Amino acid sequence: MKIIMKFGGTSVGSVPALEKVVGIVRKAFDEGHQVITVVSAMSGVTNKLIEAAHQAEAGDEAIARRTRREIEEKHSQTTLAFLGQSTVREAVMAEIQALLDEFELLCHGIHVLGELTPRALDVISGMGERMNVRQITAILNVNNLPALPVDATALIVTDNRHGAASPLLEETARQTRITLAPCFERGQIPVVTGFIAATQAGVPTTLGRGGSDYSATILGRAIKADEIWIWTDVNGVMTADPRVVPNARTIPQLSYAEVGELAYFGAKVLHPQAIRPARRAEIPVRILNTFEPEHPGTLINNRIDTNGHVVKAITVIKNLSLITVAGTGMIGIPGVAARIFSAVARIGSSVLMISQSSSEQSICFVVNTTESPAVQAVLSEEMARELERRDLDEISTQDDIVILAVVGAGMQGTPGVSARVFGALGHFGINVIAIAQGSSEFNISLVVIEGEADEAVRAIHEEFRLHA
Ligand code: ASP
Ligand code: MG
């Protein structure tokens, strides 16, 4: 089989973790699989790089040097543990030093100009991956695995939306096949940088935070992988956050559609875009635990199956605000909703959930709290005349709310699911502020106040006996 194995930050963030990685790659390689690894930066490194770039822009001249030392130390200790005092280690550290020199130089430029462009930020934030592939390749090599470092700038072609670029799939497939073919012929294991890519003109981009998952599925589609294995630090996708629900358990199988809902709704399983390339190419994805490699984790494929559970998982998005536009003047007047959402779109704010009652007396929707003042302002402006004429009573904002998403393909066409959801919440005296259900019926979304979110999750988890 051709298997893409993506290792996340914690899976490559320490010596014990990397020992696991060596074992995992060795096993698949010895079994005769063609393995392609995609790796994140060591945990914490991307945050440090981004933080330093922002501080440099804000005037801190010393931050680049300090950050450099910290990152250098992390890699130095790791390479020492695996490679000892050797020429191999010296060579790897020299490459890492060169990247860190470039980092310092860039930060210096940013400091002098007092300006951090999205393009420069992409170059800086992707350096952790570039350092790490060199380090991991050397570690695999000393363990007699024929690894080879590959920068994804030579594979993944994107548009130029810095910070959250989108792949151009045909170009990517072509580039990837050309670049990786010699590796495959020689039986090598490419160790590819996650997260980073480049435009057609070769300008570095990134796929958004947590984007290494996306790199893995983009590459999986490009090389027609048989499976994509996402190695992380938990046993697959859980029925709920185990910190909130102690008896939450692993979901053995999910469909692409279900996982899409979960990823979008904040379950930290996958980058929200990552499932799409796998879904289109129908490549099974497994979510596995580096620290417990024998655990079967979660298999994601195109099977839509209840596996005995109509509801499979509950997830929560926090830091949200509910905006309500209310007034009897909206009744029967076409175009009000269009004006509201056009105004919101104009300021680039994204709407997470919408609900309107059929009496048409109010429309409410949910946005990120960071964006709610701007949304409130643009709506007051857009609707100024209606407000003045009292056709609209008010535009109000309620902060500290969450969306609870109840997800499961089995809800489709099964009557009584929402009754049970609301019954469970009612039983615990939890007030539901707004509701939405997509016509896919894979997801019922509810708004509750943040303070009641945990109890709400536990109540629904219990009602549907998700621990069993
Ligand atoms: N290193 C990047 C980040 O921290 C990408 C990833 O880990 O997936 O966002
Ligand atoms: Mg991640």
Side-chain angles (χ1 to χ4, degrees), residues 6 8 40 210 213 268-269:
K6 177 259 174 176
S40 292
D213 298 332
K268 292 224 161 32
V269 280

Side-chain angles (χ1 to χ4, degrees), residues 81-336:
F82 283 96
L83 311 172
Q85 303 276 12
S86 60
T87 50
V88 176
R89 173 167 180 254
E90 275 165 30
V92 174
M93 284 311 295
E95 287 191 77
I96 291 174
Q97 303 282 10
L99 285 163
L100 288 167
D101 288 345
E102 195 185 327
F103 162 72
E104 270 198 81
L105 216 62
L106 279 164
C107 284
H108 179 69
I110 290 161
H111 172 74
V112 170
L113 294 171
E115 188 191 15
L116 172 60
T117 60
R119 181 172 163 160
L121 185 60
D122 267 354
V123 175
I124 290 179
S125 56
M127 284 182 160
E129 272 74 8
R130 291 166 68 200
M131 291 183 239
N132 212 13
V133 292
R134 285 153 177 87
Q135 167 173 285
I136 292 178
T137 299
I139 292 171
L140 293 174
N141 286 160
V142 295
N143 282 282
N144 297 317
L145 289 161
L148 192 85
V150 180
D151 280 352
T153 42
L155 307 178
I156 302 179
V157 185
T158 66
D159 62 14
N160 62 0
R161 265 183 56 216
H162 289 284
S166 297
L168 308 177
L169 294 172
E170 295 320 312
E171 283 85 339
T172 299
R174 194 171 338 111
Q175 281 286 109
T176 301
R177 268 182 245 129
I178 295 170
T179 312
L180 294 185
C183 288
F184 294 160
E185 271 158 32
R186 287 188 233 114
Q188 288 169 319
I189 303 172
V191 180
V192 184
T193 52
F195 187 41
I196 64 171
T199 65
Q200 246 152 345
V203 178
T205 54
T206 61
L207 301 169
R209 293 307 307 271
S212 299
D213 298 332
Y214 200 12
S215 310
T217 56
I218 293 168
L219 292 174
R221 181 171 191 253
I223 63 157
K224 301 192 166 63
D226 294 290
E227 293 202 358
I228 299 164
W229 296 4
I230 307 283
W231 291 96
T232 177
D233 54 7
V234 289
N235 290 331
V237 184
M238 310 284 285
T239 50
D241 183 342
R243 287 166 304 184
V244 175
V245 184
N247 62 2
R249 59 168 184 87
T250 301
I251 307 167
Q253 185 269 337
L254 285 167
S255 62
Y256 296 120
E258 288 169 312
V259 119
E261 301 277 356
L262 284 170
Y264 181 74
F265 281 98
K268 292 224 161 32
V269 280
L270 266 188
H271 182 282
Q273 307 289 341
I275 206 64
R276 290 173 48 210
R279 183 181 190 166
R280 282 218 227 160
E282 296 205 10
I283 304 170
V285 177
R286 291 178 197 276
I287 313 283
L288 298 163
N289 189 351
T290 303
F291 302 92
E292 215 182 310
E294 300 306 321
H295 193 287
T298 300
L299 171 64
I300 303 161
N301 54 20
N302 57 10
R303 234 177 58 224
I304 293 180
D305 205 331
T306 62
N307 305 316
H309 287 281
V310 278
V311 166
K312 285 194 186 163
I314 310 153
T315 171
V316 176
I317 325 185
K318 295 193 173 164
N319 303 318
L320 302 178
S321 299
L322 183 75
I323 313 277
T324 305
V325 182
T328 47
M330 297 200 307
I331 301 175
I333 301 176
V336 177

